[in-house]
Amino acid sequence: MSRLRVPGLFRGILAVTLALTGASGAGAAESIADGVRTFHVDFTGKDAPDRLCVDFPIRLDLTRAAGVAFEFSCEDLQTFSHFTLYFKSGNGWYSAYFTPNVEGRVEHMRLPMRAIRGVEGEPAGMDRITGVRLSAWNGAPNKCVVTFGRLRALDASNAEALVLCADSCNKSGKPEPKSG
């Protein structure tokens, strides 16, 4: 395990552990650039792993969050069957699937709290998140590059709201109907 100080990413020291399922295949982290990790993924060969897993230690309290946001990019989406973001808490995990929409450029992904609904084991609560795991699941025998980073909680107090006003009744001079 290597320890690297990365300003802005997870607000502290980033310890990266590559936990790969399978004997060979998915590659190691190659570089850090401005809070984003780059991974060279290799799902070719008869011993290709089922997925690439990358664990990031982090302390998060998501109890009052509107969700999470992060940056993600992938050269070839057909390499993967799906992507999962896991949140370690106590003796379990919360999880959310996400689907990138474009290849070859950075997407600013947003997952609302309602998307983080999977539960494995016995998590200790959304206020006790101690790690994040990115899983990229094997979908085709291919090689490609994935980037991930700048994970942050979305502030629920800044959530957008749409306010509707029934001013058409007021303009006509008629009183606004009352609900029963």
Side-chain angles (χ1 to χ4, degrees):
M1 175 162 60
S2 61
R3 293 200 180 270
L4 306 163
R5 181 166 287 287
V6 182
L9 180 63
F10 307 139
R11 296 188 188 123
I13 295 178
L14 171 68
V16 177
T17 304
L18 296 177
L20 306 176
T21 54
S24 67
E30 291 268 323
S31 65
I32 291 179
D34 196 26
V36 176
R37 297 289 302 182
T38 300
F39 308 96
H40 291 266
V41 181
D42 183 0
F43 285 145
T44 61
K46 64 179 182 174
D47 293 328
D50 293 332
R51 65 179 172 164
L52 164 72
C53 290
V54 188
D55 291 344
F56 300 93
I58 186 173
R59 297 252 183 238
L60 281 177
D61 180 350
L62 297 178
T63 53
R64 294 190 178 121
V68 295
F70 55 94
E71 290 183 9
F72 183 86
S73 71
C74 177
E75 286 180 340
D76 181 5
L77 293 174
Q78 292 183 13
T79 301
F80 305 98
S81 63
H82 62 282
F83 299 90
T84 312
L85 196 58
Y86 294 92
F87 299 88
K88 176 77 172 145
S89 175
N91 294 321
W93 300 84
Y94 297 105
S95 65
Y97 294 105
F98 67 94
T99 305
N101 295 310
V102 295
E103 292 179 338
R105 68 174 201 229
V106 174
E107 279 188 81
H108 300 277
M109 307 292 296
R110 296 171 75 101
L111 296 176
M113 288 306 292
R114 69 181 175 277
I116 305 171
R117 59 179 181 245
V119 175
E120 296 177 19
E122 297 180 22
M126 286 290 192
D127 60 333
R128 296 183 183 162
I129 304 297
T130 59
V132 173
R133 171 177 289 168
L134 170 66
S135 288
W137 297 83
N138 189 340
N142 202 358
K143 296 179 183 179
C144 83
V145 175
V146 172
T147 63
F148 172 77
R150 295 194 181 106
L151 177 76
R152 66 189 185 284
L154 294 172
D155 187 355
S157 65
N158 291 332
E160 295 178 9
L162 175 64
V163 178
L164 299 175
C165 179
D167 63 351
S168 61
C169 294
N170 293 335
K171 288 181 182 176
S172 69
K174 297 179 185 175
E176 201 169 317
K178 296 182 180 178
S179 60

